[in-house]
């Protein structure tokens, strides 16, 4: 029996006209909007004024009391017998059997010893796994049938064209904000970005891997494979390294549009997509070569198919949602809570409470967990082979690892929860890689809309879509709440929240636009005001005018959001020195300067703590730069092409010593591009001539005006003719102990003088047979 789709239309307006309470509700709405705006109060999270909390609660509750949700009711009628059990069984077999065989092959790997797959058969198993997913989904797609429409209406091609144009503009803006100056902004190269890139490069020379090979964070491999393909096509520049994140970030915008369009119509989808496209939180992680941004993209896409399954419960939609949720775990394991719990909770609640839906969804709903298991098969296999390695990152950053006792854990959890509740509107992530340090994660306009949207979801809490948004938001936040307390609030592990936030924040915008559209469309007086001299107007132009007015209303706050987020990310954040340092700006300028100096013929040496940093190596074009010895930074003889020492500003003692020892050497200041006065490192360029001018000792015979000075003494120095047994003499030189001698105790004495003093680095000893004590 075919399913008949009879979805309810979106709620089109505020329901102010509800009897005697109309004025009260209007006043309550005004108070709610003002309170939500007042709650945007950037400041110290430790000293949040009480009125900020009160204003937040008033904004949320006010919206809950006054604004109806502008999304589809989803209470479909007449949908029964969606899929036959045999169809579901065949589809499940296509999906599960190849995945089980693949898992059996992968299980033969010595993963617990090597933490990588080493057998060529693992690649065959990967191809089998992919083929099984493809075959299963294609089979289910072919069996989905055609839903019958109640009425036949002409296809509104004009409206579709406008919609296509609008979403293309939004995606173009989203992609532009994510790729503009991608290689140089942020200017730095962070350790994890270089580590990810190096791991991705290794994939093409290895069998299929469930994790990025050699990756410090032990992240699943799908993101690395995307990065490897992108780098294969686009090269190995920093822009190419970050391009995979930019693509995932743009995919998240498209996924939110599809989800919103299905649940609230074209306008809701476009509104949510625009808010996500302009979100500084999302932009930041879309320009960062790490896998976090894959969470909102993959989970958002999966939930778009899940919404189809909730409106038209067919096996294909359940399977698509499950498979993509499984694959999302392979891109960013931190999204597993949203992937596993949220979808199954929302579907389970509806099956328990809606008999009509239960009959329509059975047995196709079984493909949701089956698809998830299939999509996550490589991750689950590695989990069974070596759970410690698979979950090592989660265990390392867990608050339960940080604190060992129950009281301490409870206290830390409460503090983390508080920090993450305040991160949206008061005090955000202080890590300069993730955010302008301390700034709220949401701009004031989006923050205001978000609080109002939470109220709308609470008002509609019985609706499965409201449950989905709230649970999705909460699950995405758990990644930060359950992690290390000293990092709270955490913008990286909670970045999956940007998708539900955009969908929630779009709700009050759409409610307002729908109300304006309705008032203009049905009010002839309003139409006359807009149309000028017209006294009568037919329905179609009236609808167009109403749509234009509603669109203009939406564009105003959207423009404010665009301006605020652009200024904060591309101007304030990009020129913040703390953010620059935490993003690896120092490593970037040192690595790039090192390779440039090598091309000029210099032998380059850098600080020991930076010589092994993957970011420095990546910035230097993949070449490891040798370190200098802080005790003997200038080994002699100086190479013919010159010696370049790149010394961070934090190693001022080394720089001062080299500058004092070789005063004729040239010095090049290394600074951030946005502030040429802020010197963060120096390149000291020493030529053989500089070393020669510093070679030997300076001998001074006599005292005062009659003293004779002889410079660059190497070997014997002749006493002046006028000198005698009582003539004072002094010698000054730089003592260089290289190689193994620099690490051994030494002592000195002066022979052949009746009396004298020996001084080394400010410590003095009288000359005698014993000499100095042992020195290091």
């Amino acid at each position: 029996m075919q399913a008949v789709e009879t979805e309810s239309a979106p709620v089109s307006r505020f329901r102010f006209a509800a009897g005697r309470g109309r004025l009260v509700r209007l006043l309550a709405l005004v108070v709610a909007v003002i309170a939500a705006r007042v709650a945007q109060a950037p400041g110290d999270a430790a000293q949040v004024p009480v009125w900020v909390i009160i204003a937040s609660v008033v904004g949320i509750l006010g919206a809950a009391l006054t604004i109806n949700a502008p999304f589809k009711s989803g209470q479909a009628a007449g949908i029964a017998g969606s899929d036959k059990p045999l169809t579901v069984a065949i589809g499940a077999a296509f999906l599960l059997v190849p995945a089980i065989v693949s898992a059996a092959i992968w299980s033969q790997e010595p993963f617990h010893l090597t933490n990588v797959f080493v057998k060529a058969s693992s690649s065959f198993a990967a191809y089998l796994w992919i083929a099984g997913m493809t075959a299963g989904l294609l089979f289910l797609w072919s069996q989905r049938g055609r839903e019958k429409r109640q009425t036949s209406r002409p296809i509104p091609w004009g409206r579709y064209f406008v919609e296509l144009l609008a979403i293309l503009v939004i995606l173009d803006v989203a992609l532009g904000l994510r790729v503009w100056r991608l290689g140089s902004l942020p200017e730095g190269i962070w350790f994890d970005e270089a580590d990810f890139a190096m791991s991705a490069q290794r994939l093409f020379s290895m069998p299929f891997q469930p994790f990025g090979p050699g990756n410090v964070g032990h992240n699943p491999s799908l993101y690395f494979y995307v990065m490897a393909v992108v780098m294969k096509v686009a090269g190995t520049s920093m822009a190419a390294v970050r391009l995979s994140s930019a693509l995932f970030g743009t995919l998240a915008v498209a996924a939110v549009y599809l989800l919103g369009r299905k649940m609230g119509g074209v306008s809701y989808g476009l509104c949510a997509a625009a808010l996500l496209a302009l979100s500084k939180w999302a932009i930041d992680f879309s320009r960062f070569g790490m896998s976090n941004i894959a969470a909102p993209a993959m989970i958002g896409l999966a939930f778009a198919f899940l919404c189809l399954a909730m409106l038209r419960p067919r096996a294909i939609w359940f399977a698509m949602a499950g498979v993509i949720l499984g694959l999302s775990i392979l891109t960013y394991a931190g999204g597993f809570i949203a992937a596993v719990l949220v979808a199954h909770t929302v579907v389970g609640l509806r099956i328990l409470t809606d008999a009509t839906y239960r009959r329509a969804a059975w047995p196709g709903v079984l493909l949701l967990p089956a698809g998830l298991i299939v999509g996550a098969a490589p991750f689950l296999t590695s989990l069974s082979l070596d759970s410690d390695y698979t979950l090592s990152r989660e265990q390392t950053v867990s608050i339960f690892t940080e604190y060992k006792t129950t009281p301490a854990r409870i206290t830390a959890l409460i503090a983390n929860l508080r920090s993450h509740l305040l991160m949206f509107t008061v005090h955000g992530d202080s890590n300069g890689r993730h955010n302008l340090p301390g700034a709220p994660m949401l701009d004031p306009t989006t923050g205001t809309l978000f609080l109002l949207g939470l109220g709308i979801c609470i008002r509609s809490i019985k609706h499965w879509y409201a449950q989905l948004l709230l649970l999705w938001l909460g699950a995405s936040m758990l990644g930060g709440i359950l992690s290390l307390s000293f990092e709270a609030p955490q913008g990286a592990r909670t970045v999956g929240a940007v998708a539900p936030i955009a969908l929630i924040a779009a709700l009050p915008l759409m409610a307002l636009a729908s109300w304006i559209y309705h008032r203009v469309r049905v009010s002839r007086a309003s139409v006359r005001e807009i149309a000028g001299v017209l006294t009568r107007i037919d329905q179609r132009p009236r609808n167009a005018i109403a749509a234009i007015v509603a669109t203009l209303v939406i564009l105003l706050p959207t423009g404010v959001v665009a301006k605020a987020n652009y200024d904060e990310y591309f101007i304030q954040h990009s020129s913040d020195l703390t953010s620059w340092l935490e993003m690896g700006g120092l490593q970037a300028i040192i690595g790039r300067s090192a390779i440039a100096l090598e091309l000029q013929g210099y032998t380059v040496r850098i600080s020991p703590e930076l010589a092994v940093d993957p970011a420095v190596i990546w910035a230097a074009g993949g070449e490891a730069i040798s370190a200098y010895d802080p005790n003997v930074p200038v080994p002699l003889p100086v190479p013919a092409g010159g010696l370049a020492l790149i010394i961070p500003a934090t190693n001022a003692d080394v720089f001062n010593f080299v500058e004092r020892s070789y005063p004729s050497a040239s010095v090049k200041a290394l600074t951030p591009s946005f502030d040429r006065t802020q010197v963060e490192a120096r390149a000291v360029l020493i030529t053989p001539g500089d070393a020669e001018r510093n070679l030997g000792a300076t001998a001074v015979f006599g005292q005062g005006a009659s003293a004779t000075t002889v410079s660059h003494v190497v070997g014997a120095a002749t006493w002046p003719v006028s000198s005698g047994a009582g003539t004072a003499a002094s010698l000054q030189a730089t003592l260089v102990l290289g190689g193994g001698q620099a690490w051994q105790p030494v002592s000195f004495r002066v022979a052949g003088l009746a009396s004298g003093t020996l001084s080394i680095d400010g410590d003095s000893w009288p000359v005698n047979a014993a000499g100095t004590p042992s020195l290091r």
Side-chain angles (χ1 to χ4, degrees), residues 3 79 107 336 459 633-634 673 735 751-752 773:
I79 49 174
S107 297
F336 75 93
R459 180 183 179 92
V634 184
S673 60
L735 176 66

Side-chain angles (χ1 to χ4, degrees), residues 24-79:
V24 174
R25 292 190 179 188
L26 179 59
L27 291 175
L29 175 62
V30 172
V31 171
V33 173
I34 294 175
R37 181 61 183 84
V38 169
Q40 313 305 308
D44 186 356
Q47 299 177 350
V48 181
V50 176
W51 58 263
V52 173
I53 307 299
I54 295 174
S56 300
V57 173
V58 170
I60 294 171
L61 293 182
L65 293 173
T66 56
I67 309 177
N68 290 302
F71 47 74
K72 296 178 180 179
S73 68
Q75 302 302 321
I79 49 174

Side-chain angles (χ1 to χ4, degrees), residues 232-452:
K232 193 78 171 179
V233 174
T236 57
S237 66
M238 204 61 222
V241 171
R242 294 169 174 168
L243 184 56
S244 50
S245 289
L247 296 176
F248 272 110
T250 307
L251 176 62
V253 175
V256 161
Y257 161 72
L258 294 173
L259 197 160
R261 186 187 190 283
K262 178 51 62 177
M263 289 311 305
V266 174
S267 299
Y268 178 48
L270 293 175
C271 244
L275 290 177
L276 183 55
L278 300 171
S279 166
K280 64 185 179 71
W281 191 356
I283 291 171
D284 187 296
F285 285 94
S286 297
R287 300 176 64 92
F288 194 27
M290 289 180 62
S291 59
N292 305 66
I293 195 62
M298 298 296 290
I299 295 174
L301 188 61
F303 283 173
F305 284 106
L306 184 66
C307 286
L308 280 173
M310 298 296 274
L311 295 171
R312 298 197 299 273
R314 303 305 304 268
I316 177 59
W317 308 134
F318 285 116
M320 286 291 292
V323 167
I324 297 175
L325 285 174
L327 293 175
S328 74
I329 298 175
L330 292 183
T331 53
Y332 179 60
F336 75 93
I337 298 177
V340 176
L341 295 182
V342 175
H344 292 81
T345 300
V346 171
V347 173
L349 287 174
R350 190 170 184 196
I351 285 178
L352 290 174
T353 59
D354 188 339
T356 301
Y357 182 80
R358 182 167 59 248
R359 289 192 296 270
W362 187 261
V365 69
L366 296 176
L367 293 180
L368 177 63
L372 189 146
I373 292 172
V374 169
F379 180 86
L380 297 176
T381 304
S382 64
L383 182 64
S384 67
L385 293 174
D386 189 345
S387 60
D388 289 339
Y389 180 87
T390 302
L391 301 178
S392 62
R393 182 60 178 170
E394 289 74 15
Q395 293 170 349
T396 300
V397 302
S398 171
I399 197 171
F400 299 106
T401 302
E402 183 182 14
Y403 297 96
K404 303 302 181 183
T405 65
T406 300
R409 288 171 174 173
I410 293 174
T411 301
L413 279 173
I414 293 173
N416 271 12
L417 178 61
R418 180 181 183 277
S419 297
H420 284 84
L421 288 176
L422 295 173
M423 73 185 295
F424 303 114
T425 61
V426 178
H427 187 92
D429 196 331
S430 296
N431 188 326
R433 293 189 297 276
H434 307 159
N435 185 41
L436 179 63
M441 303 306 292
L442 303 180
D443 64 273
T445 303
T446 303
T448 300
L449 295 171
F450 173 63
L451 293 180
L452 297 174

